[in-house]
């Protein structure tokens, strides 16, 4: 099957310090991938390189085999196809919940207001936020904000959603509501790349686990297999630290 | 005659002149502030265009050149008095063009204000959380879309007090433009006071008019600020038992607003 996203020997340095030391990764349609690893291992940087929020130092990012780096595809069009959900939500503070989901569709995709609103309401209902369409982000709890952010991403009808530690900034009692939504999406065949510290989510929901350590993919494979029998010492050490 | 009687006398004899001067002052300050704001917006948008190593070389050089010119403009205008700018620009450029003095004055104020506004808007933009830019860019908005739909609405709200300041400064500082023979308030004050060699009562009238103008303007801007801050209540549409229910939620007023 055709790859949706392909990373080829992706490297990224910040002021001389190499964070990503050559990542090769192929992501297929409908795949749910969890990216795990300790803080500073480069997993968020990899995600931010995929949608070019970080400038890639060397290597290539391919979308349907077209290079995003060399400009084979318009960067803004590409980003609208692989939208991102952030740790800090990044909802637009000057807009209501509904506007947050409608405006990107009208501005970026050129949809009509009516069409965009109908689409937005569909996904706001899905994440259980339809009642709050008039509220502003500042008036919502963290879990609510993240659910709106997911609805905003879904409203673009993207091919892939990148999740950058979507539950790390939430109070413990709100993690569940967001993970429930993500679990539902995974079940519906959405292509997802999830950088997470939620090991249960990685194990039970994803099709493949990527373990990143010191800027390289150290181990990857079937989640059940990975969590039961990690092959590398570094993965063993990481998991044992996590379980204790 | 005492001071008060002089004030009344000068007002009765010159009220039409004073009102005309007020009108001109207000027009210069209002149009100058709005145009200056627009100049500032455009400059700030250009100066915040991000470049990466993939930007083509011609665009990069062009952007560098434009930024250099814009910086020079800002530094020169901010570094010299408006009165000096007015004399130089008016007599060397606008007089030969036979441009109307009032239009000349408005252009001079606009350009002067633009330099200050560019810095004010830039300050507003960099005060906005990086996440707002990233949220917009990650969903596919280009630089101009990000600015107009997400960043500027928030930045402008934050810089409203500074914009108000500029407006008030313009109302008062437009007085220096009587040097190019605009019949604004100060010009009228000099004229009215000169007739009887009584400057103090004429200037008291002028001071009162200036104060009324600036006070009214600051009050109006406060209202605009409140309006831009948005409503602090919202409605929850529908509940589990009644889909048509409306629950109004009012949030406690934020401090400093």
């Amino acid at each position: 099957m055709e790859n949706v996203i392909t990373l080829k020997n992706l490297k990224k340095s910040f002021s001389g310090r190499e964070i990503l030391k050559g990542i090769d990764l192929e992501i297929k349609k409908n795949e749910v991938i969890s990216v795990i690893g300790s803080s500073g291992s480069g997993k968020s940087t990899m995600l931010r390189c995929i949608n070019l929020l970080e400038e890639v130092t060397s290597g290539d990012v391919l979308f349907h085999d077209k290079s995003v780096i060399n400009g084979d595809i318009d960067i803004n069009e590409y980003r609208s196809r692989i939208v991102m959900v952030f740790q800090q939500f990044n909802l637009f503070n000057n807009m209501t919940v509904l506007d947050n989901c409608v405006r990107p569709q009208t501005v970026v995709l050129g949809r009509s207001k009516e069409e965009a609103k109908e689409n937005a309401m569909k996904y706001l209902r899905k994440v259980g936020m339809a009642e709050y369409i008039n509220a502003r982000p500042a008036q919502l709890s963290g879990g609510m904000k993240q659910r709106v952010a997911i609805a905003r991403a879904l409203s673009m009808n993207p091919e892939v959603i990148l999740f950058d530690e979507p539950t790390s900034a939430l109070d413990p009692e709100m993690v569940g509501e967001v993970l429930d939504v993500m679990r539902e999406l995974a079940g519906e065949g959405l292509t997802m790349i999830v950088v997470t510290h939620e090991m249960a989510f990685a194990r039970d929901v994803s099709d493949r686990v990527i373990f990143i350590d010191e800027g390289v993919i150290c181990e990857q494979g079937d989640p059940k297999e990975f969590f039961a029998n990690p092959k590398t010492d570094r993965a063993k050490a990481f998991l044992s630290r996590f379980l204790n | 005659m005492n001071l008060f009687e002089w004030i009344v006398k000068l007002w009765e004899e010159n009220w039409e002149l004073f009102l005309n001067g007020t009108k001109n002052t207000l027009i210069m300050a209002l149009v100058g502030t709005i145009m200056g704001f627009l100049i500032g917006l455009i400059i700030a948008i250009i100066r915040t265009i991000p470049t990466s190593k993939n930007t083509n070389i011609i665009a990069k050089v062009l952007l560098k050149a434009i930024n250099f010119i814009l910086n020079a403009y800002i530094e020169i205008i901010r570094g010299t008095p408006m009165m000096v700018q007015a004399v130089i620009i008016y007599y060397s450029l606008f007089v030969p063009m036979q441009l109307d003095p009032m239009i000349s004055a408005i252009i001079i104020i606009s350009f002067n204000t633009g330099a200050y506004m560019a810095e004010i808007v830039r300050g507003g933009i960099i005060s906005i959380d990086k996440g707002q830019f990233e949220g917009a860019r990650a969903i596919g908005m280009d630089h101009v879309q990000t600015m107009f739909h997400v960043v500027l609405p928030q930045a402008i709200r934050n810089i409203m007090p500074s914009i108000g300041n500029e407006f008030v400064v313009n109302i008062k500082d437009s007085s220096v433009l009587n040097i190019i023979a605009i019949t604004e308030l100060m010009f009228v004050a000099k004229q009215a006071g000169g007739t009887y060699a009584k400057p103090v009562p004429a200037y008291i009238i002028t001071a009162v008019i200036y104060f009324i103008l600036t006070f009214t303007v600051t009050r109006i801007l406060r209202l605009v600020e409140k309006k831009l801050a948005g409503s602090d209540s919202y409605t929850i549409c529908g509940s589990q038992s009644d889909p048509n229910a409306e629950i109004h939620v009012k949030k406690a007023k934020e401090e400093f607003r």
Side-chain angles (χ1 to χ4, degrees):
Chain A
M1 200 201 267
E2 190 193 13
N3 295 331
V4 181
I5 293 174
T6 312
L7 304 183
K8 278 192 175 162
N9 198 20
L10 187 71
K11 290 184 182 172
K12 171 69 187 172
S13 306
F14 286 105
S15 47
R17 217 179 124 234
E18 200 167 50
I19 302 296
L20 296 181
K21 296 170 182 162
I23 301 261
D24 289 287
L25 187 60
E26 295 180 349
I27 293 144
K28 305 247 183 296
K29 195 168 160 33
N30 301 342
E31 238 188 330
V32 177
I33 293 181
S34 289
V35 183
I36 60 174
S38 40
S39 301
S41 59
K43 53 193 191 313
S44 280
T45 305
M46 182 188 84
L47 206 64
R48 292 169 60 83
C49 281
I50 290 179
N51 80 345
L52 306 186
L53 276 182
E54 299 294 349
E55 210 175 311
V56 172
T57 307
S58 73
D60 208 346
V61 178
L62 306 181
F63 181 61
H64 292 296
D65 297 331
K66 285 188 194 135
S67 169
V68 181
I69 308 288
N70 297 335
D72 294 349
I73 173 171
D74 177 65
I75 175 172
N76 292 315
E77 190 195 329
Y78 165 67
R79 279 174 172 160
S80 72
R81 311 295 314 132
I82 51 137
V83 299
M84 185 146 169
V85 172
F86 296 87
Q87 183 176 358
Q88 299 296 338
F89 329 119
N90 295 350
L91 291 178
F92 305 135
N93 292 330
N94 56 318
M95 301 180 200
T96 62
V97 165
L98 183 62
D99 267 349
N100 261 284
C101 300
V102 169
R103 196 81 69 90
Q105 295 183 65
T106 56
V107 170
V108 178
L109 303 178
R111 288 180 181 157
S112 73
K113 265 217 167 96
E114 296 74 37
E115 189 191 355
K117 193 182 164 187
E118 202 174 305
N119 198 39
M121 285 309 295
K122 180 171 132 196
Y123 292 112
L124 283 167
R125 250 178 250 123
K126 187 183 191 76
V127 300
M129 288 300 293
E131 289 97 341
Y132 294 91
I133 52 172
N134 292 321
R136 283 174 182 274
Q139 296 162 326
L140 303 177
S141 73
M144 289 166 143
K145 282 185 205 173
Q146 198 58 296
R147 283 188 282 149
V148 172
I150 292 172
R152 176 175 73 176
L154 289 169
S155 299
M156 299 296 283
N157 304 101
E159 288 181 49
V160 183
I161 299 187
L162 312 173
F163 290 87
D164 186 10
E165 304 195 25
T167 57
S168 297
L170 299 178
D171 292 335
E173 68 262 36
M174 290 169 184
V175 170
E177 61 186 79
V178 172
L179 288 181
D180 285 345
V181 170
M182 290 171 60
R183 200 168 284 131
E184 200 185 326
L185 296 177
E188 289 169 8
L190 184 72
T191 312
M192 296 161 65
I193 307 175
V194 187
V195 169
T196 186
H197 289 293
E198 295 292 332
M199 293 303 145
F201 180 88
R203 188 189 57 215
D204 301 336
V205 182
S206 47
D207 303 316
R208 178 155 50 124
V209 168
I210 311 275
F211 171 64
I212 293 192
D213 195 54
E214 291 176 6
V216 292
I217 294 181
C218 186
E219 188 171 338
Q220 61 174 307
D222 177 71
K224 312 252 171 341
E225 178 65 25
F226 173 81
F227 282 98
N229 304 305
K231 290 182 187 64
T232 56
D233 290 341
R234 286 191 282 181
K236 279 178 197 158
F238 171 77
L239 286 177
S240 70
R241 241 180 303 142
F242 233 94
L243 298 174
N244 300 328
Chain B
M1 283 209 287
N2 63 23
L3 182 63
F4 183 72
E5 285 163 337
W6 271 112
I7 291 174
V8 173
K9 181 180 164 64
L10 285 183
W11 174 253
E12 278 174 347
E13 285 176 7
N14 297 296
W15 64 272
E16 273 174 292
L17 279 175
F18 274 112
L19 287 190
N20 188 43
T22 307
K23 187 191 83 189
N24 285 343
T25 292
L26 204 54
I27 288 174
M28 284 193 294
L30 185 67
V31 180
T33 307
I34 292 171
M35 298 299 289
F37 175 60
L38 294 179
I39 293 172
L41 270 189
I42 293 165
I43 292 179
I45 292 171
I46 294 173
R47 290 213 296 174
T48 51
I49 292 176
T51 53
S52 70
K53 64 175 183 181
N54 296 321
T55 315
N56 82 50
I57 186 83
I58 300 164
K60 248 184 202 167
V61 170
L62 194 67
L63 204 57
K64 267 245 157 73
I66 292 172
N67 274 331
F68 178 80
I69 294 167
L70 292 179
N71 277 334
Y73 158 71
I74 291 169
E75 293 306 332
I76 291 169
I77 294 286
R78 290 202 308 172
T80 54
M82 183 157 70
M83 195 195 273
V84 177
Q85 294 159 14
V87 171
I88 295 174
I89 297 173
Y90 183 66
Y91 289 108
S92 69
L93 195 64
F94 294 158
V95 169
M97 285 165 68
Q98 294 183 314
L99 203 62
D100 177 64
M102 190 64 184
I103 292 179
S104 308
I106 287 174
I107 294 175
I108 290 163
I109 291 202
S110 301
F111 268 89
N112 185 279
T113 311
Y116 290 89
M117 286 287 194
E119 285 295 278
I120 293 173
V121 176
R122 193 173 68 89
I125 290 173
I126 59 180
S127 75
I128 301 300
D129 178 36
K130 208 172 118 239
Q132 296 289 306
F133 292 85
E134 291 194 344
R137 284 170 57 203
I139 213 159
M141 290 192 193
D142 61 30
H143 180 64
V144 172
Q145 290 167 340
T146 302
M147 282 294 155
F148 275 101
H149 291 280
V150 178
V151 176
L152 287 178
Q154 300 178 51
I156 290 170
R157 197 188 82 185
N158 291 352
I159 61 173
M160 268 317 276
S162 305
I163 293 173
N165 256 347
E166 278 303 306
F167 195 1
V168 168
V169 165
N170 276 344
I171 289 174
K172 296 187 293 178
D173 282 8
S174 59
S175 59
V176 303
L177 291 177
N178 68 54
I179 200 161
I180 57 169
I182 305 289
T183 44
E184 46 72 59
L185 259 179
M186 276 298 285
F187 190 87
V188 174
K190 277 185 189 165
Q191 225 179 0
T195 326
Y196 301 98
K198 279 282 171 197
V200 174
Y203 277 71
I204 289 176
I205 293 173
T206 315
V208 170
I209 295 175
Y210 271 123
F211 182 77
I212 292 171
L213 285 183
T214 54
F215 188 75
T216 318
V217 163
T218 47
R219 293 299 102 178
I220 291 171
L221 285 168
R222 262 300 151 72
L223 285 179
V224 176
E225 249 177 71
K226 278 224 175 100
K227 185 109 186 132
L228 284 180
S231 135
D232 42 62
S233 63
Y234 65 96
T235 307
I236 295 176
C237 314
S239 73
Q240 285 183 335
S241 52
D242 176 8
N244 295 319
E246 287 197 344
I247 304 157
H248 298 277
V249 181
K250 192 152 175 62
K251 189 167 157 268
K253 275 239 184 311
E254 263 176 68
E255 264 180 287
F256 313 118
R257 193 168 273 174

mmCIF file of all heavy atoms in Angstrom, chain A residues 36 71 126 158 209 232 244:
data_model
loop_
_atom_site.group_PDB
_atom_site.id
_atom_site.type_symbol
_atom_site.label_atom_id
_atom_site.label_comp_id
_atom_site.label_asym_id
_atom_site.label_seq_id
_atom_site.Cartn_x
_atom_site.Cartn_y
_atom_site.Cartn_z
ATOM 1 N N ILE A 36 6.781 6.884 21.431
ATOM 2 C CA ILE A 36 7.106 7.026 22.843
ATOM 3 C C ILE A 36 8.607 7.186 23.021
ATOM 4 O O ILE A 36 9.388 6.954 22.095
ATOM 5 C CB ILE A 36 6.592 5.826 23.676
ATOM 6 C CG1 ILE A 36 7.217 4.529 23.171
ATOM 7 C CG2 ILE A 36 5.073 5.733 23.609
ATOM 8 C CD1 ILE A 36 6.882 3.329 24.030
ATOM 9 N N GLY A 71 9.481 21.385 -2.102
ATOM 10 C CA GLY A 71 8.404 22.192 -2.662
ATOM 11 C C GLY A 71 7.636 21.519 -3.790
ATOM 12 O O GLY A 71 7.061 22.196 -4.635
ATOM 13 N N LYS A 126 -19.502 15.201 17.937
ATOM 14 C CA LYS A 126 -18.755 13.966 18.121
ATOM 15 C C LYS A 126 -17.876 14.010 19.373
ATOM 16 O O LYS A 126 -17.775 13.038 20.115
ATOM 17 C CB LYS A 126 -17.886 13.730 16.891
ATOM 18 C CG LYS A 126 -17.179 12.396 16.857
ATOM 19 C CD LYS A 126 -16.316 12.336 15.618
ATOM 20 C CE LYS A 126 -15.794 10.958 15.369
ATOM 21 N NZ LYS A 126 -16.806 10.064 14.817
ATOM 22 N N PRO A 158 -8.853 16.063 7.419
ATOM 23 C CA PRO A 158 -7.480 15.798 6.998
ATOM 24 C C PRO A 158 -7.248 14.314 6.744
ATOM 25 O O PRO A 158 -8.075 13.478 7.116
ATOM 26 C CB PRO A 158 -6.667 16.255 8.207
ATOM 27 C CG PRO A 158 -7.568 15.983 9.369
ATOM 28 C CD PRO A 158 -8.981 16.177 8.877
ATOM 29 N N VAL A 209 4.058 0.759 17.540
ATOM 30 C CA VAL A 209 4.718 1.628 18.507
ATOM 31 C C VAL A 209 6.115 1.954 18.002
ATOM 32 O O VAL A 209 6.817 1.070 17.518
ATOM 33 C CB VAL A 209 4.806 0.945 19.892
ATOM 34 C CG1 VAL A 209 5.743 1.723 20.814
ATOM 35 C CG2 VAL A 209 3.433 0.845 20.526
ATOM 36 N N THR A 232 15.428 -4.304 22.747
ATOM 37 C CA THR A 232 16.663 -3.581 23.050
ATOM 38 C C THR A 232 16.759 -3.264 24.548
ATOM 39 O O THR A 232 15.739 -3.148 25.233
ATOM 40 C CB THR A 232 16.720 -2.263 22.266
ATOM 41 O OG1 THR A 232 15.551 -1.512 22.586
ATOM 42 C CG2 THR A 232 16.774 -2.502 20.772
ATOM 43 N N ASN A 244 7.732 1.551 37.084
ATOM 44 C CA ASN A 244 7.967 1.720 38.515
ATOM 45 C C ASN A 244 7.681 3.142 38.965
ATOM 46 O O ASN A 244 8.383 4.021 38.700
ATOM 47 C CB ASN A 244 9.410 1.360 38.833
ATOM 48 C CG ASN A 244 9.678 -0.077 38.460
ATOM 49 O OD1 ASN A 244 8.769 -0.910 38.540
ATOM 50 N ND2 ASN A 244 10.900 -0.370 38.004
#
